[in-house]
Amino acid sequence: QVQLVESGGGLVQAGGSLRLSCVASTRTFSRYNMGWFRQAPGKGREFVAAISGAGTITNYGDSVKGRFTISRNNAKNTVYLQMNSLKPGDTAAYCCGADPSLRRVVAGGPDYWGQGAQVTVSS
């Protein structure tokens, strides 16, 4: 069982930046591929970004390419999402996911999920 806890959400003006963090409770963090997902009110869950266990492979959703960056620090059991040039359309609950399969993460079906952190972008 892997527990994931997100932090770093909040309210920011359009054009601003935020960094989300997700800490995992596992001794084998590097074995897990990690992803970020978001869900806006009234919409379905959207894939945002994924990163492989070693951090050598990353994948992004089309709507965030060039603005968001996913990274990880395996020594700290933490994955990050740096969000720049934020838009009101980025407003959503953001959650992280973990899975031994990178394919499952990118497909939106990781085994483990965090509770989520709210990001609100004002215009």
Side-chain angles (χ1 to χ4, degrees):
Q1 191 77 4
V2 178
Q3 292 186 326
L4 304 172
V5 179
E6 300 94 340
S7 62
L11 174 65
V12 64
Q13 288 189 330
S17 299
L18 276 177
R19 188 177 80 158
L20 300 179
S21 300
C22 171
V23 179
S25 64
T26 173
R27 294 184 179 182
T28 57
F29 182 62
S30 63
R31 295 182 183 179
Y32 288 90
N33 303 280
M34 303 296 295
W36 285 98
F37 306 83
R38 68 186 183 185
Q39 187 165 15
K43 295 186 177 181
R45 185 182 295 143
E46 178 186 7
F47 167 75
V48 175
I51 188 167
S52 61
T56 54
I57 301 171
T58 58
N59 192 305
Y60 295 92
D62 288 342
S63 62
V64 306
K65 281 180 181 176
R67 300 188 298 123
F68 291 11
T69 302
I70 189 170
S71 62
R72 65 190 295 159
N73 184 329
N74 286 348
K76 295 184 176 181
N77 278 22
T78 303
V79 62
Y80 305 97
L81 185 68
Q82 177 66 44
M83 304 183 292
N84 298 330
S85 302
L86 282 161
K87 307 173 182 179
D90 294 317
T91 295
Y94 285 71
C95 60
C96 62
D99 198 279
S101 166
L102 181 59
R103 182 174 297 179
R104 277 204 295 268
V105 173
V106 174
D111 278 347
Y112 303 102
W113 292 91
Q115 294 290 334
Q118 180 65 36
V119 171
T120 302
V121 184
S122 63
S123 56

